[in-house]
Amino acid sequence: MTDLTRAAALLGAIVRETCGLLVPLECPCGSEGRLLCEECAALLAAEARRVEAVCDAVQIVQDVRVRAGEDGAPAGVDHRALLPVMALGEYAGPLQDLVLAWKNGGRSHLVPLLAQGLAPAARALAEAAGEPDHGPDPVPDPLPAPVLVPVPSRLGSRVRRGEDHTAQLAAAISRRTGLPWEALRGRLGEGQEGRTARQRRRRHLAVRGGALSRTRREGAPVILVDDVVTTGATLRASAEALGRLGIGVVGAVVVASARLPATRTFP
């Protein structure tokens, strides 16, 4: 190690210690010494997984089986999802700490890391949206690249935080993927806190005139961006509001899901 290298290492240590006195270096999970520990960094680097199967509000009833089927399937209800939803993990433990630190704790340095984790999922949804339909009819011209659209927060939440955190995330994912992004001018109904499960499944979004001018002009579909999905009511309200404007939604990317689908195990 050269004298210059030693001097640089010493200077870096002094700067870290000084900054630690002014702003304590602490990961949202409580680990000290770093703004983000290795374990939490691994959570944000995890491969996103499909979670729409456990989002009740995005389910559409396909068929009701009053009797057992010929294949032995018991009586019940078959569903299909309104849209695919991809999340980095479950909204619990350290990942919940990270989301809350980003949303309410002013930890804006987490935004690029969240975007890095969700970028592959956004690319996958965009690629799936652009796949041609190999049916009997002629293949139409491919659609423009999907537009990333952050789900709007309530005005009170934006004022309290001093920023639109989902818009920041969408912009960061856009920089990672090259997909365009556009803010949705709209107003969500009541928040989800303190509401029953039945109430959580019903939410509305009122969009204002001129919402998503780019997508309407270019005919591009939308990928929704949000922080946490619980029942999927917010995503469904957004998709339905955009559908009334003639804008299709091809999927959603979220940081965390309140539940994760069960992992099947085979003997």
Side-chain angles (χ1 to χ4, degrees):
M1 182 181 293
T2 64
D3 292 340
L4 182 60
T5 304
R6 292 192 187 93
L10 178 60
L11 179 60
I14 293 173
V15 170
R16 286 193 298 273
E17 291 298 325
T18 303
C19 292
L21 293 174
L22 299 175
V23 181
L25 294 177
E26 183 180 86
C27 180
C29 72
S31 301
E32 297 182 352
R34 295 184 182 182
L35 290 175
L36 190 67
C37 69
E38 293 182 0
E39 290 77 10
C40 289
L43 289 176
L44 300 185
E47 182 179 356
R49 57 184 297 184
R50 298 276 293 266
V51 298
E52 67 271 11
V54 293
C55 300
D56 296 345
V58 300
Q59 303 302 314
I60 301 174
V61 175
Q62 273 190 305
D63 185 32
V64 177
R65 288 176 277 107
V66 180
R67 301 174 182 174
E70 295 180 358
D71 58 355
V77 179
D78 295 324
H79 299 87
R80 66 178 177 86
L82 180 67
L83 72 167
V85 182
M86 304 188 74
L88 292 179
E90 185 177 9
Y91 187 58
L95 186 57
Q96 182 177 11
D97 294 335
L98 288 168
V99 172
L100 292 176
W102 161 53
K103 288 177 57 174
N104 303 323
R107 300 289 187 97
S108 58
H109 66 280
L110 295 174
V111 175
L113 297 172
L114 295 169
Q116 182 177 359
L118 289 175
R123 290 193 196 98
L125 290 174
E127 291 171 0
E131 291 178 356
D133 182 6
H134 298 289
D137 298 329
V139 177
D141 294 334
L143 291 173
V147 176
L148 299 165
V149 173
V151 172
S153 304
R154 289 181 296 159
L155 178 60
S157 299
R158 295 199 300 270
V159 171
R160 185 180 70 251
R161 298 181 182 122
E163 59 190 11
D164 190 336
H165 68 292
T166 52
Q168 290 182 338
L169 180 58
I173 297 174
S174 174
R175 289 191 291 270
R176 285 273 178 184
T177 61
L179 296 171
W181 81 279
E182 187 174 3
L184 174 61
R185 291 180 287 276
R187 179 175 57 82
L188 275 172
E190 298 179 5
Q192 301 288 55
E193 295 182 4
R195 308 184 75 201
T196 66
R198 181 184 295 273
Q199 290 171 334
R200 286 172 180 266
R201 297 190 187 100
R202 301 183 63 182
R203 202 171 189 194
H204 70 275
L205 171 66
V207 296
R208 295 198 293 270
L212 296 183
S213 58
R214 177 185 299 163
T215 59
R216 299 194 73 178
R217 182 175 65 250
E218 300 177 357
V222 159
I223 296 175
L224 296 171
V225 179
D226 206 356
D227 46 22
V228 178
V229 61
T230 305
T231 64
T234 301
L235 297 178
R236 180 162 191 155
S238 301
E240 290 178 343
L242 292 172
R244 289 191 289 270
L245 298 176
I247 299 172
V249 177
V250 297
V253 292
V254 301
V255 178
S257 173
R259 293 182 295 161
L260 295 181
T263 301
R264 290 185 179 181
T265 57
F266 298 92

